[in-house]
Amino acid sequence: MKLFNRKKETATGQQVVLLVEGMHCTSCGLLIDDELEDIPGVRASTTDVNAGRTTVRLEEGANVDTATLVAAVEQAGEYTARPAG
């Protein structure tokens, strides 16, 4: 894991929103974003700790399943995640 290695956000590709529980501060969000951005095919991740949501933007044509994203969030710390909606 590379801490705070932010990838450039773009408007292309699919977007996945996850609901995340267990976050307490901005550092929690940054840890989650870094873990998600280590996944091949993930363009960027933006976590809103106050809303309990993470928005993951995928590279165009990337085939990343939701289970992989959820596992990455849970690997980042003592968090639980599920797809929104």
Side-chain angles (χ1 to χ4, degrees):
M1 173 173 53
K2 299 173 190 159
L3 290 179
F4 313 115
N5 183 17
R6 311 303 303 156
K7 291 184 180 179
K8 182 180 178 184
E9 288 191 48
T10 65
T12 62
Q14 180 183 357
Q15 169 174 298
V16 178
V17 178
L18 302 174
L19 301 178
V20 182
E21 295 181 10
M23 297 183 292
H24 304 288
C25 63
T26 303
S27 292
C28 293
L30 292 172
L31 288 170
I32 290 169
D33 291 339
D34 284 339
E35 196 69 39
L36 287 165
E37 290 177 355
D38 282 345
I39 298 171
V42 172
R43 168 58 73 198
S45 174
T46 306
T47 299
D48 183 337
V49 175
N50 293 325
R53 298 170 66 94
T54 297
T55 302
V56 182
R57 289 174 185 78
L58 303 176
E59 294 175 356
E60 193 164 341
N63 187 17
V64 180
D65 63 10
T66 305
T68 300
L69 300 175
V70 168
V73 170
E74 293 176 352
Q75 183 176 324
E78 294 185 19
Y79 312 111
T80 58
R82 61 184 169 85

